[in-house]
Amino acid sequence: MTQSSALDRFCLDGKTALVLGIGPAIGSAVAHGFAEAGANVVVAARSADAVDNLVETLRSRHGDVAAGLATDAGDPVALDRLLAFATERFGGIDIAFYNAFALDAGHYRTFTGYVSPLDCTEEDWSACFNLNVMAPFRLAKALVPSMKARGGGVIINNLAAAAFTPIMPAMAYAATKSALATMTTYLAKGCGPEVRFNAIAPSNIEATQRSETMRAAARAFPLARMGSPDEVVGAVLYLASPASSYVTGQVIFVDGGRVATA
């Protein structure tokens, strides 16, 4: 295979990609990556301003390839509205990147003092289960039939290193991300060969974790630094593209070696 033909396998021309949960870092970077690879992009997040700003930026850089809708991923009605919007705008969805999540409330106190996992509340469990498990299940259930009708598709879930190694105090978050990892393998087995399911597991990504505490912790991992959102994009584009056409049910760790060497 020549170099040019190998790179061509990362092309997403003619595809429509959904990024559900854009955030300030990974989701936005992935949306730009999809557009640069040639895909139309539909973005969604709770903040209408964040969605509008990202759509405007995508259009200014890549042309009329982007659309967005403010959406609560945990609301089944809002999710149905988003999928109808994407279908009306671009005709359907070929690729979905599920990037929405809920954290234990204690996570936000992590850097001001230790929080025990026993401080996890039933409200934490409910919020994490709905957004980290049920919402991606609803997305898969809604998309797989239409993807099969379109000839195939790809769904990529964003997990977390905490799903594979304890990172205090995010117990409900980690446990539900572990459930999402298991669900990804079940869906890969049950929805093939037309639809592929894979996941990424990032950790210590600079734009989402800027504290010096996290930077110092990252220096103990094999790559000895924080990662950047752009370093996550490569893994997602690989899983979304024909370059990974024989890959399903897998997790790619983008964590500087954190989990493998824990």
Side-chain angles (χ1 to χ4, degrees), residues 15-17 31 34-36 38-42 55 58-67 89-90:
K15 303 295 184 181
T16 295
F34 283 151
E36 289 169 10
N40 297 314
V41 184
V42 178
V55 168
L58 287 166
R59 288 176 175 171
S60 69
R61 294 182 184 179
H62 308 291
D64 188 22
V65 301
R89 180 67 176 81
F90 292 118

Side-chain angles (χ1 to χ4, degrees), residues 2-44:
T2 65
Q3 183 179 26
S4 60
S5 64
L7 294 179
D8 286 345
R9 291 184 59 76
F10 288 87
C11 177
L12 299 178
D13 286 352
K15 303 295 184 181
T16 295
L18 169 67
V19 179
L20 184 49
I22 54 174
I26 291 174
S28 297
V30 167
H32 280 284
F34 283 151
E36 289 169 10
N40 297 314
V41 184
V42 178
V43 299

Side-chain angles (χ1 to χ4, degrees), residues 160-221:
F164 303 92
T165 187
I167 300 175
M168 297 299 184
M171 182 170 65
Y173 169 73
T176 51
K177 286 290 190 175
S178 294
L180 180 56
T182 298
M183 186 170 72
T184 299
T185 63
Y186 271 75
L187 291 170
K189 186 167 185 176
C191 298
E194 299 94 339
V195 180
R196 296 188 293 114
F197 281 83
N198 289 293
I200 61 166
S203 184
N204 295 91
I205 303 304
E206 180 69 42
T208 60
Q209 298 170 328
R210 295 185 175 90
S211 79
E212 183 52 38
T213 301
M214 295 305 296
R215 292 193 180 100
R219 287 194 283 272
F221 308 142

Side-chain angles (χ1 to χ4, degrees), residues 223-234:
L223 295 189
R225 62 174 176 83
M226 302 284 284
S228 75
D230 287 341
E231 291 177 300
V232 180
V233 173

Side-chain angles (χ1 to χ4, degrees), residues 46-94:
R46 289 179 179 176
S47 168
D49 287 343
V51 169
D52 291 344
N53 290 339
L54 179 55
V55 168
E56 182 179 351
T57 303
L58 287 166
R59 288 176 175 171
S60 69
R61 294 182 184 179
H62 308 291
D64 188 22
V65 301
L69 188 69
T71 303
D72 179 354
D75 180 350
V77 175
L79 182 60
D80 288 343
R81 189 181 305 121
L82 171 65
L83 299 182
F85 169 81
T87 299
E88 180 179 357
R89 180 67 176 81
F90 292 118
I93 296 170
D94 305 289

Side-chain angles (χ1 to χ4, degrees), residues 93-260:
I93 296 170
D94 305 289
I95 301 157
F97 177 53
Y98 187 82
N99 188 53
F101 62 90
L103 281 163
D104 305 51
H107 172 85
Y108 300 104
R109 302 194 298 275
T110 301
F111 305 125
T112 59
Y114 178 74
V115 180
S116 168
L118 294 178
D119 290 335
C120 182
T121 66
E122 291 196 12
E123 289 76 15
D124 288 333
W125 281 107
S126 179
C128 288
F129 186 76
N130 184 49
L131 205 56
N132 300 344
V133 180
M134 289 308 303
F137 172 71
R138 295 182 193 115
L139 180 67
K141 194 167 185 177
L143 282 181
V144 166
S146 61
M147 284 181 166
K148 287 187 174 184
R150 288 166 68 82
V154 181
I155 296 179
I156 303 160
N157 291 317
N158 190 356
L159 306 178
F164 303 92
T165 187
I167 300 175
M168 297 299 184
M171 182 170 65
Y173 169 73
T176 51
K177 286 290 190 175
S178 294
L180 180 56
T182 298
M183 186 170 72
T184 299
T185 63
Y186 271 75
L187 291 170
K189 186 167 185 176
C191 298
E194 299 94 339
V195 180
R196 296 188 293 114
F197 281 83
N198 289 293
I200 61 166
S203 184
N204 295 91
I205 303 304
E206 180 69 42
T208 60
Q209 298 170 328
R210 295 185 175 90
S211 79
E212 183 52 38
T213 301
M214 295 305 296
R215 292 193 180 100
R219 287 194 283 272
F221 308 142
L223 295 189
R225 62 174 176 83
M226 302 284 284
S228 75
D230 287 341
E231 291 177 300
V232 180
V233 173
V236 176
L237 285 181
Y238 168 69
L239 292 174
S241 72
S244 63
S245 56
Y246 200 52
V247 177
T248 195
Q250 303 300 312
V251 178
I252 294 180
F253 291 86
V254 190
D255 66 352
R258 179 176 194 165
V259 170

